[in-house]
Structure formats: structure tokens, C-alpha cells
Amino acid sequence: MSFLVVEGLSLSFGGVRAVDDVSFTLAKGELLALIGPNGAGKSTCFNMLYGVSRPDSGSVKLDGNELVGLKPRQIWRLGVGRTFQITATFTSMTVCENVQMALLSHANRTFGIFRRAHDAYRDQAMDLLDIIGMRGQADRPTNVLAYGDLKRLELAIALANEPKLLLMDEPTAGMAQPERRSLMKLTADLVRDRGTSVLFTEHDMDVVFEHSHRLLVLNRGRVLAEGSVAEVRADPKVREIYLGGGSTYASMETNHA
Amino acid sequence: MLEVADLNSFYGGAHILHGVSLDVGQGEVVALLGRNGAGKSTTMKSIMGLVRPRSGTVTFEGQAIAGRPAYRIARLGLGYVPEDRRIFTDLTVLENLEVGCRAARGTQRAWTSERLFELFPNLAERRSARAGAMSGGEQQMLTIARTLMGNPKLVLLDEPSEGISPLIVEQMAFAIRQLKAEGIAILLSEQNLHFAMLIADRVQVIEGGRIQFHGTAEELSNQPKLREELLAL
Amino acid sequence: MGFFVAQLLTGMANAGALFLVASGLSIIFGVTRVVNFAHGSFYMLGAYIAYTLMSHLPGAIGFWSAIVLTGIAVGLIGLLVEIVVLKPIYRAPELYQLVATFGVILVIQDAVRYVWGPEDLIGPRAPGFGGVVSIFGQSVPTYDLVLIALSLVVLAALWALFNKTRIGVLIRAATQDREMVGALGVNQTLLFSAVFFLGSFLAGIGGAAQLPKGGADLTMDLNIITAVFVVVVIGGMGSIFGAFMASVLISELQVFGVQLLPQSTLVLMFVVMAIILVVRPQGLFGRPDAAVYQGNSAMVPKPLKPLGLAGKLVGAAILAFLAFIPFYGDNFLVFLFSDIIIFCLFAASLHFILGIGGMASFGHAAYYGGGAYVAALLVQYLQTPMELAIVLAPLGAGFLALIIGWFCVRLSGVYFAMLTLAFAQVVWSVVVQWTSLTGGTDGILNIWPSDWASDPSVFYYVVLVVGAGGIIALRAMAHTPFGYALRGTRDSSLRAEAIGIHVRRVQLLAFAFAGAMAGLAGALFVFAKGSIFPTELAISRSFDALIMVFFGGVQSLGGPIAGASVFTLLQDWLSDFTYWQLLLGVAIIAVVILSPRGITGLLETTGRIGDRFRTATGSNAEVAGKEAR
């Protein structure tokens, strides 16, 4: 059964259709990769799913609930976690406090004034840090972390509200190769163990081919292709615009060489 | 002409470049290939003085330039075309060119807006248009033209083919060859091997902030395993 | 009809100086990202310098050349300020640069007082334009028409400069992306200096041109800067045309407002501003992203830790020391320390939203003075006992902050700062203009503590207990989930929103809480002094609070305490000198340049060297570890 249903999503910026009539679905426990060249509309799509920008038309339904028109914090409360392409963490807090903050918010206690935050939900936060293998760094300030660790921390924060859907915007950008593998392995395990659905954008084709169940290819704001890894890899249109098929360049060589 | 030795750069807290070394000779086109996040843009910015390298040297025509402010590096004859274009969207095409304008050096034939409009005919029609209203491809041409107005001896071109249509990419490749014919050296960063192969004399492949391969484009294309590993092609 | 046109022209004439100063501020901000609070001071300098020049240069030629020469002189002074004060701190966060410009305000105030004396000066008449002309039967001063023409000429000249000259194109480009302009070979240092000269030149001309109409006095600097902020906020930061339109709008509003609502002209101006900002937060002609405060990643504060044993001991020692003051000090010392405690609370309340919440309120005096007035009015009209007044005052101030904050938290960065300042001026003008209730500038007198606390020493203990209690409450609040959520909104509002935190509501409640605590300080102040005047609500009091917080260091919870103590002692000590403001201004500039992290930052220097050593070895180990992998 489809858990997330996106229908006819469109958004224009100054006359340019950044996202043009995009529809797709995502099933429970599915890992769907959203790929496409830069400027294809991936980030715009993501922002609309997460309430950052409002589509001109179209709908996004999560488990039957309409998300269009909701604010990010409301979407989060419906069980959607998010990691950012450029990490967004609370830099003046420790690693553990970052996760604690998300847990406090999940428990609706951000307006609490009668106890200290420092030790609230510390054990649960530590458990989440265990999942991403960062328990040892729990009390380090966030602003001294290596970039790969920040990316992993984002995942722990996103898991704090026991999300049913994870939106990950280029989760491995800026990471070294072995780190990428381990982060995506972790994500795949979560999908398997918890039945979480994941939608992620990614440039690294290794990551995409290795872990995603299904691919959605965007180009110039439109869905160009959709299907399994093998289907998309074999699609000549996709090869041409994205995977470096070479037909265009071959013709160039004859023109100019 | 340009020599980079053992460059280490950080971005925020992250160590991005781990001892990058490369060189570009007089009038040569060198491609720096690598995937997203491999360190291409940071290399470019470190050369240009927009990111201050933690250690290592950058030598341009015999002068050590690492750590100097960007404007002084630019005045030595280094041009920079950023990946995200960074055109001045509120200004017209001609005004964008005006910002880049600097006097030519020595025997160089100076670039004028008219010469640039010959190179990029699309821009000519839109010379008085607000730059922000132009398409991605036109904006890409404008950034290159703007940099050329400074009459650089070497141009750092950061991913010129990214996110633009194949037709424009073709024009871009043609224009870059023209520049080469003018004797301008180019350091080009690319993800697109085929595009790089069309125009580059030599290629260097960067991955994880380290140079992993250097040689000619043919040498690289004869090593499919390496290509796959480094570029996922 | 005639009357209407005459009023219209008067408004346009008044808009002239406002436009010149506002456009200068806008241009400087656009390129350098510095909000030059001292811009009003350049305007004042313009008026005084023009006074001297006009009295030496005879005739019409002398008059007009005096205006141009004044512009050049003020431009050069602006250049000097830029080179000496701002150049060393361009890399520091924007807010530090603001504090440095506060210092410049103080220095220029006293320098002008020293050179031209404290009396108001009446400007000469413009040769040939001293009379009036009749328009639709109404007489309009000829010089008003000259001022209108001048502002149109300047608008046209600026348009030509920005569109037809290379420097103008460079300025526009740098306003958008100054780093890229540098990468194209343009020397930013020179460009910044040129822009500062231009902006100060405009302010100088503005001051000189209005001299025949308004004269010169020592309150010109702060008076115009508020109006300029209103103009810049309404017109849109960085837009010259916006500055022009907003200057005209505001001036007309004032001229016609006097006819319609003579008692509430200032309020009218701010109401219009509030409406425009709610509908269009970036101003009428502004770009949405023009005034976003960009934090400096190099200045990330360290994580908060609950006070350790050593910290608790230091706190206890300070409290014990303060408790003993009445035993070994005379009344003078008791009053001085009472002031210090009150200011510590005031500064700590501002620090709560500024340091922890990242919201730079430039109008915090509204809640401090607001609390003081609530207490004074309760005593005056309802014979409320002191104890109850001290409880109700923070509630009143908090409520005021809740209303004002509702508008302000929609904005961020520089716009937030300016809006808070503008609202504080509304409060101030209401108090000044509503004389029947507040006594206007005569203030409210004879507000004394209850009988049991009438002895200065006893009341000192009231101040100590309530003040220290307030500070401890603020401190404790920082450690609660709410305080953490507030810090989260400062660190990354994107992330905060993405984990379900209602960013605006957290900010609003924090703003109200800080306002309440400032109101508590204000209530203590009223009973300590026995009277209250509108000066406690004025801009300069808001600036005091900002200076105290920055003086002490924004990064640390102890900062405002240290800052308020040093600032109050310094002010007390310097007030023996005639030109103490000048010395204070120099001291502020020196602290900002020498130690951008304030006094607590300075104290931590040794610790910081240790830190640096540790992180250095730590990152080496990390690199080694990666290499091994």
C-alpha cells in the first residue's frame, strides 16, 4: 500500500517551472532515490514535501493526511524526519544535547521550565547515538565534529521522533567513500528493521545503485523515468542526460574535432 | 605557469583537501575530474584565495600567492568562474561585464564586450537585459565572459557544463577551445569525463580531497576500472 | 486646497535631510554590512561644521560652497572612522561593529560639545532664499522649495552614479556579492572606504542643508537616527529609491498627523511602519534577503554546563561581598552598588534574548523604563504598596514585550533590531506626549519604598534579594528545556523547525520573559531613586544595555554581570571628567577592537590558549586516524 502519495506537484519561480507536474508514490519500508542533474528540481521537490515552500498546485498525502499547507514543524509531528544537504545542527550544544532537544520536542516539552534540559532524556539519546555509533562522542561540542559525523548526527536527530518517513537530502555529500557506505548501510538497516520509508536525493551513483529499491529520475522539473535500478540504468534517456551516455558528446566530436 | 603543491584546506571544521598538488602549463587545458564533494571546488577556491589554505603553496608565474586576498590574485592574471555562477542578477549583462573589466597586460589582445559577444552570440541580443532574467546557460556564458573581461592569463573554470542543456554545453566546449587558441591556460573542473576529454590536454582525478590519477585523457579512458572507481562511469 | 499643497511641500522639504542620511546609511550597509549607528552623528557634525563654514564664507557662493565643503569634511571624518574603528573588526560579527559605532556616537557627542559648546545654534539664512513665496494663497518658505529641489537633485545624482559610472556599478555588484567582486580583481578595502566616504558625505550635506531651517543642537544625532531607521526599514534596506519614498511618506505623515492627531504624531509614524512590516517584512522596495544577520561560525559559543562547585563558590562569594556592603561602606557606596545590581539584572535580561536567543533588541529600555513607569503609576494613582508594585511591574513590562514582540519576531537580524528600536521610541513618545498621565518630561516624583524599607541600607537588601533572584532566575531559565529550545532557534532555526519546535513562539515568549525581567529592574530603579523620567525609556538607555552585554561578552552567562559592573563603575569614575562620554566611547571602541569577546573573553584567554592546544592535538590525532584507515 502506498504510504506517501505525491500528485501533480508544480512550482514556478519567476516564470520558470522548477517542478512541473511531478507524481510518485512511496510504499511502507521502501527506499526511493530521487536523482537527476543539478537544477532538475530535486531540492525544490524536497522543500515542498517538507513544507518549506508551498507548491502552486498538487498534493502530498502521507498516510491519508494532506501535507501541503502545513509547516515543517507540523509535518514533523506527523512522523516525518529530515536530514539536510548542508548539515543543520545546534552548534552550541553537545552531540547528545542535539538529540535530547529532538526528544524533548517529541515529548512536547520545549516550553518546560521546571527542570534542567542537560539530563533530560539522556539515556534515550544515548541509545540513538549507539545506533549511529557515536556514543563515544556524546559530550563533544557539535562544532568540532568532522563533517561525516555531523551527517550521522543528523540521522540520529531525525530518528528521535520514531519517524515513519525519512527525507534525506544528499545524505552522503561531502563524506569519504567508506563513510558513505556505512551511513547508507545504516539507513538500509533501519528501513528493514523498523519499516521506515525513505526518500533520498543523491549524486553518488554507487550509493544509489547499491541501496535503493526504486529510482525516480527528474530532469528539468519533470519525471523522466521511474523504476528499478536495472530499468533506470538501461533507459537511454537517463543515460543521455545523467549517467554520461555519450551520444551527445560523440556527435560533438564529429562536429568540432 | 600555475603550480599547486601539497595544499591542505578546511571548510568549516571539515578537512577537505589532503595535500593536493597539480600544475598547469602555459596555454594548457587541464581538467580536474571528480565527483560531487571530491574537493574540486575547494581546490579552485583555495587557488583563488577565497578559501585560505591551511598549508601548502600556490605559485603563479613564479609568485607565491597562497594566503593573498582574492583581488590581488585576480590582478596577477588569474580568472575565476565559480560553479554557482554568482552573476550579479540585479545588473544588466553589460554592467556585469563592466565589473569584470581590467586592463590587458603586455602583448595580450584585450577582450572587449564586442569580442565577447562574437564568442557568445546569445549574450549580444541580451546585452541590456537584467542578468537575473536569463536562462541558466546564458548565465553560464555571462560568468565566463565577465571573467574574460579581466584579460586573465589563466582561467579557473568550475564545472561549466553543470546543469545546462547539451546544446549549450556544445557551445561552451567550442568557446573554451577558442580561448585555448588565444593562448589562455585553463584549469577546468568537471564531473563529465566526455566533456573534459573533448577539450583537455591532461586530466587529474580527485577523490576524497586527494589527487588519485594524473595523465592524459586517453590514459584514463583506457583504464575502465579506475574510471568506474573514481568517477562512477 | 492651498493649505493642503502648503502642507505637502513642508513635508517634502522635511523629507530632504532624512533622505540624505537614510540613503547614506543604506549604501554603507549594502556594501559593508555595517549598520552605522553613528550616521546620525555625521549628520549632526554636518550641521555644526556648516555653521562654522557659513559664518566665514560670505554671500551666496560662500553658502553653497560651505554645504559642499561640509559634505567633503564629514566624508573624510567618516573615512577616518572607517579606517580606525571598523577596518580592524570587519571580520567580527556584525553586532560587534554596531557596538563600536555606539562608541563613535559618544566620542562625536563630546567632541562637538568641546568645539562648539553646549548651546543650540541658529543657522544663517540662505542668501536669496530667506523669504516666502505664496502658493495658492499660502506662504511657503522659499528655502523649503530649495530643500525639495536639493533632494531631487541628489536622488538623480545617485541614480546616475549607480547606473552610469564604474564605481556605481561596482557598488551595486558588491551589494549583491562582495566576495565575487573581489575575485574579479576589485580591491574591497578601497571600495569599502569609498562607500563610507560617500555615505558620510551625504549625511554631512543633509546636516548642512537643513541648518538654515532647523539649526544645530546636540540631540540631532539620536533624534534623526530613529527616523532614519524607520525610513530604511519601510523603504527596504539597500534601496535608494525606497529610502526616498519612505522619507517622503514619513515626513508627510508627520506634517498631516500634526493636523489630525496633534498628540500622537510619533505613534502614527510607528503604527504605519508596523503595518508595512507585517504585510511586507523586507520593506516596500527591499529584497527579502538583504538584511539577514549572518552569524560568524568562528564565534560559536561553547555548550552550557550547570555551574560546577567552583562556580557556585564564586557566586556565593560575590553575594556575600554584596551583602556586606552596607556594613563597611557609606551611603554613597550603597547607592553605587544598588545601581550596579539593578543594571546587572537589566543587562542579564537583554543577554537572555541577545546572547542565548540571538535576537539583538535595540529597544530594551522600553521594558526597563516600562516596568519603572508601571510601578510609578501604580503608586501615584492607586497608592499601590511597594511590594505589590514590584510584583506587578514585571507583569506589565512582560505584557508590553509580548505585544511588541509579536510584531518583531517576524523579522530577524538588522530588521529585528531596528523594529525593536522603533517600538521603544513609540513607548517613549507615548510617555512624553501623554503629559496628563505621565507628567511628560517632568516625570513622576516621590515614589518611595514602604516604610520598613525606607532606610537606604534596608532597601539595598531589597534590591540585592530581588536583583540576585532575577539574575538567578534568568540563569536557571537558560538551562531549562525552554532555554535550550531558545538556543536551538539561534543556532539553526531550520533545524529547530524541522524537529517540531515552534520557533516564533519560543522567541516571543523569551522576548516577553526578558521584558518582564527588565521591568523588574526598572521597578527597583524607581524605588531606589524615588522618581522616574522618560530618559529611562530613551534610546541611550537601550544602548547602555547593549554596551553592557557586549562589554561583558555575549558568549557567557557571566558576561552581562561583568559588563554591567565594569560599565557602571567606569561611568561613575569617568563622570568626574567633563568629557566623560568621550573617554567612555574610546573605552568601548578599544574593548571591541582588542577583545571582540568582551571582558569575560579576555579573562578566558589563558583557558582559550589551552583549548587551542587541545583541539590542535586532537585534530592531528584525527588526521592520523583517518590516514590509518
Side-chain angles (χ1 to χ4, degrees), chain B residues 20-40:
Chain B
V20 167
S21 301
L22 53 84
D23 67 292
V24 182
Q26 204 82 40
E28 200 182 14
V29 177
V30 175
L32 183 62
L33 291 165
R35 310 192 234 197
N36 255 24
K40 301 187 299 293

Side-chain angles (χ1 to χ4, degrees), chain C residues 55-71:
Chain C
S55 55
H56 286 92
L57 300 171
I61 296 172
F63 179 84
W64 294 109
S65 46
I67 290 186
V68 175
L69 287 175
T70 300

Side-chain angles (χ1 to χ4, degrees), chain B residues 15 18 48 50 70-71 74-75 78 80 82 86-91 95 98-102 146-147 210, chain C residues 162-163 166 169-170 172-174 176-177 179-190 287 623 626-627:
Chain B
H15 194 169
H18 300 262
M48 201 58 211
L50 298 174
Y71 82 92
R75 286 179 179 188
L78 258 171
Y80 171 60
R86 296 171 75 168
I87 56 159
F88 306 112
T89 49
D90 287 347
L91 275 56
E95 284 171 340
E98 170 69 34
V99 177
C101 185
R102 302 214 75 79
R146 182 180 66 181
T147 301
R210 295 178 176 83
Chain C
F162 283 121
N163 290 286
R166 176 169 165 82
V169 170
L170 291 182
R172 277 164 61 214
Q176 218 182 330
D177 186 345
E179 190 188 57
M180 193 60 226
V181 171
L184 290 167
V186 177
N187 185 347
Q188 280 191 35
T189 316
L190 276 181
R287 296 151 52 84
V623 172
K626 270 190 190 149
E627 233 96 53

